[in-house]
Amino acid sequence: MNAVTTSPAPDVDVVLPCLNEAGALPWVLARVPAGWRALVVDNGSTDGSADLARSLGATVVTEPRRGFGAACHAGLTAATADVVCFCDCDASLDPSLLTPFVDEVRAGTSDLVLGRRRPQTGGAWPVHARAGNLALARMLRRRTGLRLHDLGPL
């Protein structure tokens, strides 16, 4: 397992919104690059996720307001690093995939990097979530001129 740092000024903070992810946490936290700080944002878990995350070296932030957005905001507020990343905590995404994103930001070629999901099966992504994501991406494209297609969790 990679060492998850708890130093007060890490180089990169990884915000991991978490709701009952005890089964996924060991794998997810082991994939956080060495030297980066894992901020597990517990969003009301009842399966011991917060205690497990702490025991695995993560910094735990508690966010009682339910919802992915609330958890992401709480993690961003708690972050202290120059670079902040977000990744789902359910083991559907590998936090080590964030390394090239961080490299682009550090190199000054990007201020913001988003991963784009591409569902492989029809039921992989609920229709309402797909439609909402499409609408938000389209709205942001119009406002910013950026080529956004997905507001994914990486």
Side-chain angles (χ1 to χ4, degrees), residues 56-149:
L56 293 171
T59 298
V60 175
V61 176
T62 301
E63 177 48 69
R65 294 172 298 151
R66 283 294 178 93
F68 185 78
C72 287
H73 184 260
L76 181 60
T77 301
T80 59
D82 290 337
V83 178
V84 180
C85 302
F86 295 85
C87 184
D88 273 357
C89 197
D90 62 0
S92 63
L93 297 167
D94 182 344
S96 70
L97 296 174
L98 291 165
T99 302
F101 293 39
V102 170
D103 291 344
E104 281 197 38
V105 172
R106 284 182 178 149
T109 58
S110 298
D111 293 323
L112 174 68
V113 181
L114 295 172
R116 183 178 182 187
R117 298 171 286 188
R118 293 180 188 242
Q120 301 300 310
T121 62
W125 201 358
V127 173
H128 71 281
R130 203 177 286 204
N133 187 60
L134 179 65
L136 287 171
R138 195 173 285 154
M139 181 175 41
L140 283 170
R141 269 197 316 270
R142 280 190 214 134
R143 289 184 180 183
T144 66
L146 297 173
R147 295 179 50 210
L148 293 174
H149 300 279

Side-chain angles (χ1 to χ4, degrees), residues 12-40:
V12 177
D13 281 334
V14 182
V15 176
L16 300 156
C18 176
L19 178 61
N20 294 326
E21 305 293 357
L25 274 166
W27 183 85
V28 170
L29 292 176
R31 304 294 296 165
V32 172
W36 294 12
R37 180 171 69 159
L39 291 172
V40 173

